[in-house]
Amino acid sequence: MNDDELLARLQDADPARHDTPADSWLDDLIDDTVEETMSTTPEQSPARKRWVPLAAAAAVALLAAGGAGVALSGGDEDAPAAAPTTTSLTLPGGDTMQSCMMVTPEALAQVDQALAGTATEVTEDSVTLTVDQWFKGGDSDLVTLTPANPDMIALIGAIEFEEGARYLVSAADGHVNSCGFSGPDEEPLAGIYQQAFGG
């Protein structure tokens, strides 16, 4: 197609000229372009579509991680350790003439308190036992024994406390029972405690 023919076709397609219809090829081109434009919707950027929810998900994940960190720490690292609880009992005096009853499981079961503990501190005026087991009447971590007579700290019916040794102790009305009801954790006293309290 030469320039003259192209010019002639363009003149024929001039909308101002109503006496000559436009060529079909130009009509088709215009119709196709209009149809494509009308039927196509603007596409959003795929990157933008995906980025927004991904960013939101990342923010939620960060918040959840931060919350979990706070929940895990819980401030426990700064909390002071609980102080051990202590029960105080009085050791009997040096009256060796007191009457003593036979130590039996039945008699031992009637005491107010009974425990097994290790002597962790022995001084001139007190004995501290770290409780290994409460059989009856208590739940403290430590038991402090102080004598009614300070001169008799080492003697409770022939009991001599030594650091690191384990003892069986019973008490009534806050006073440690002597006469064989308290002493080193060994036979036959250990067997009597087992029969009286089990375990």
Side-chain angles (χ1 to χ4, degrees), residues 37-196:
T37 302
M38 297 299 291
S39 64
T40 303
T41 58
E43 293 186 1
Q44 293 182 349
S45 169
R48 180 175 176 80
K49 268 186 173 179
R50 285 193 292 267
W51 182 86
V52 172
L54 285 176
V60 170
L62 286 174
L63 287 174
V70 171
L72 287 175
S73 64
D76 289 343
E77 294 178 359
D78 298 331
T85 54
T86 303
T87 297
S88 296
L89 298 175
T90 301
L91 296 170
D95 184 6
T96 58
M97 300 302 293
Q98 61 181 321
S99 59
C100 295
M101 62 185 299
M102 181 179 294
V103 181
T104 64
E106 294 75 18
L108 184 60
Q110 302 305 311
V111 302
D112 297 333
Q113 295 167 299
L115 64 105
T118 301
T120 51
E121 185 177 4
V122 179
T123 68
E124 294 181 354
D125 54 6
S126 69
V127 174
T128 300
L129 300 177
T130 297
V131 178
D132 300 319
Q133 181 180 0
W134 275 101
F135 299 110
K136 184 179 180 181
D139 59 3
S140 64
D141 305 309
L142 305 174
V143 171
T144 300
L145 309 177
T146 55
N149 182 348
D151 295 331
M152 301 300 295
I153 182 62
L155 298 175
I156 317 171
I159 298 175
E160 183 174 350
F161 287 94
E162 296 180 1
E163 287 188 7
R166 193 168 187 261
Y167 296 89
L168 298 169
V169 176
S170 66
D173 297 325
H175 298 276
V176 173
N177 296 319
S178 57
C179 294
F181 282 85
S182 300
D185 185 4
E186 55 189 36
E187 297 297 341
L189 186 59
I192 296 172
Y193 267 72
Q194 185 173 10
Q195 292 177 58

Side-chain angles (χ1 to χ4, degrees), residues 1 6 9-10 22-30:
M1 177 183 297
L6 179 58
R9 288 195 176 198
L10 288 175
D23 284 350
S24 61
W25 70 272
L26 189 56
D27 288 341
D28 292 341
L29 177 62
I30 293 172

